[in-house]
Amino acid sequence: MSNLVPTGKPWALAVFAVIVVGAALTALALLGGRSLPERTGPPVEQLAVERAVLEPGVIELRVRNTGADPVSIGQIFVNDGYVDFTGAREPIARLGSETMRLTYPWQDGQPYTVSMLTSTGLVIEHTIDAAVTTPRATASFYGLMALLGTYVGIIPVVLGMLFLPFMRAAGGRVVRVLLAVTVGLLAFLAWEGTAEGFDLAGESGGAFGGAALVVLGAGLAFLALTAVDQWLRAKRATMTSGAPADSGLRLALMIAIGIGLHNLGEGLAIGSAYAIGELALGAFLVIGFTIQNTTEGLAVVSPLTDKRPPIPTLLGLGLIAGVPAIAGAVIGATVRNAELSAFLLGVGVGAILQVIVQIAPGLREKTTGRMDTATLTGIGAGVLVMYATGLLVTA
């Protein structure tokens, strides 16, 4: 029996194990189902509406089968009135999707309930809270999303970075407190992103994992940024050839990347809200986001209080932290996919958590290895500042 197991290199053992596991799974797939009794009871029919596009006289729905059995749509009603529709004439297989166009003279600003009657008599409903024409992806539309992303992401971050001279003059003890405030800011952003991600995952129907997408995105982002950080450390050590490494600039870069990924998710939420008419564009929205995201600029430059980086470097950090808001606004307004949004929000959460892990060791006193009262107060102050400024945002 021992002669059947290959010996030698580890990769050969791994290949042998994969072959055995593959053969076992194939046998179970072919033979296992035949040995089990057939399922009793009615089919499990589930549909999730991934996207609703409203045009004059037309409601377009993109649906996905999130259940175990195929779904056949027989009739569709809007506010209890029968409507003609095209598409989805064949049964929708598991995880399959179809686009249906409903002919209906909807009125701007009115709520509508779309009821889909399946072949088994099950009614699946989708609610449109307030009907509004879906914006088309024109040049002016992309320009508006870029402008909105600039207001929300780039300008506030750069304004916050202008406080660097003051922070530099405040002294070394203040730096640790500022880093503590940064941790509080980032912790609040992580919690905010997690809550938004889980909310979106709940709307997705769970076809591709639901809330697990947020966790997956966070885990992948955390591991990816950890790898990037290790690469930067190794590169910096090679370039300095034994000289002290510029850890402050590296940490500032990692904070900018983490905040940038968070702003990507923030832009997604703004773009999606604009596309369905739930975003009140105006001065108050801009001012609210500017005040809130200015604190993100403070977080980016907090590790640079003992450095004098050139202006292009500071601008680069600001763009890294702010530009993703533009990309997020465009994606959110055009794609409007709950699964993608939940995953990207999770990416932002994972990036922020990785940055917190890097900052945390610098918050402890070198003599005692503990955080003093001022540091703990700074963390709490950071959370409260983000909460208070978040109340100004009406999006």
Side-chain angles (χ1 to χ4, degrees):
M1 180 66 181
S2 60
N3 294 332
L4 298 177
V5 180
T7 59
K9 297 182 178 181
W11 66 264
L13 297 175
V15 171
F16 176 76
V18 169
I19 293 175
V20 172
V21 171
L25 293 177
T26 302
L28 287 174
L30 295 176
L31 304 176
R34 300 178 182 177
S35 62
L36 299 175
E38 294 186 0
R39 191 188 67 191
T40 59
V44 179
E45 297 179 319
Q46 295 178 353
L47 283 180
V49 177
E50 294 186 334
R51 182 181 181 185
V53 177
L54 276 70
E55 302 173 354
V58 175
I59 300 176
E60 183 178 287
L61 299 179
R62 181 176 179 84
V63 298
R64 185 175 297 276
N65 181 0
T66 59
D69 297 310
V71 177
S72 297
I73 299 177
Q75 295 179 337
I76 296 181
F77 301 84
V78 177
N79 284 2
D80 297 328
Y82 173 79
V83 298
D84 292 327
F85 71 97
T86 59
R89 294 306 184 185
E90 299 294 330
I92 306 174
R94 170 170 167 74
L95 299 183
S97 64
E98 285 285 348
T99 299
M100 302 177 297
R101 290 179 62 86
L102 287 58
T103 303
Y104 186 80
W106 57 270
Q107 300 294 318
D108 191 66
Q110 297 298 314
Y112 294 97
T113 299
V114 180
S115 302
M116 293 167 280
L117 181 66
T118 69
S119 59
T120 63
L122 179 68
V123 177
I124 301 174
E125 294 185 341
H126 173 71
T127 301
I128 300 174
D129 295 326
V132 62
T133 302
T134 303
R136 293 184 176 274
T138 61
S140 60
F141 168 78
Y142 287 119
L144 176 60
M145 290 298 100
L147 182 62
L148 189 57
T150 301
Y151 283 153
V152 170
I154 298 176
I155 293 178
V157 172
V158 173
L159 289 177
M161 297 174 70
L162 295 178
F163 285 90
L164 178 58
F166 162 76
M167 297 165 63
R168 184 180 293 121
R173 177 176 174 80
V174 179
V175 172
R176 189 166 64 218
V177 177
L178 291 174
L179 286 175
V181 173
T182 299
V183 169
L185 301 176
L186 295 175
F188 185 89
L189 292 178
W191 165 252
E192 184 181 55
T194 302
E196 292 178 2
F198 284 159
D199 287 343
L200 282 173
E203 299 174 3
S204 68
F208 297 99
L213 286 171
V214 182
V215 179
L216 176 64
L220 292 178
F222 187 92
L223 294 175
L225 281 189
T226 300
V228 170
D229 178 60
Q230 295 297 324
W231 177 77
L232 290 174
R233 288 174 184 266
K235 184 177 180 180
R236 177 65 62 179
T238 302
M239 294 176 61
T240 54
S241 300
D246 190 359
S247 59
L249 183 59
R250 177 185 55 79
L251 183 56
L253 175 60
M254 297 303 296
I255 293 176
I257 293 175
I259 289 177
L261 292 176
H262 166 77
N263 284 337
L264 176 66
E266 199 168 70
L268 281 169
I270 293 173
S272 298
Y274 171 77
I276 61 177
E278 293 182 355
L279 183 64
L281 296 178
F284 196 72
L285 171 74
V286 174
I287 293 174
F289 269 113
T290 299
I291 294 176
Q292 184 184 41
N293 290 359
T294 295
T295 56
E296 297 177 355
L298 293 172
V300 172
V301 297
S302 58
L304 302 176
T305 52
D306 59 342
K307 311 290 181 184
R308 291 191 177 274
I311 298 298
T313 299
L314 294 175
L315 289 177
L317 292 173
L319 292 176
I320 290 173
V323 166
I326 299 177
V330 172
I331 295 174
T334 54
V335 179
R336 295 188 298 281
N337 184 286
E339 287 91 352
L340 176 62
S341 298
F343 176 78
L344 292 179
L345 283 168
V347 168
V349 171
I352 289 175
L353 292 178
Q354 206 281 335
V355 173
I356 292 176
V357 169
Q358 291 194 54
I359 298 177
L363 302 181
R364 302 179 183 276
E365 293 185 349
K366 295 182 179 180
T367 55
T368 62
R370 299 179 179 178
M371 298 183 187
D372 57 17
T373 304
T375 302
L376 294 174
T377 303
I379 296 175
V383 173
L384 290 176
V385 166
M386 291 302 294
Y387 172 76
T389 56
L391 296 178
L392 299 176
V393 180
T394 58

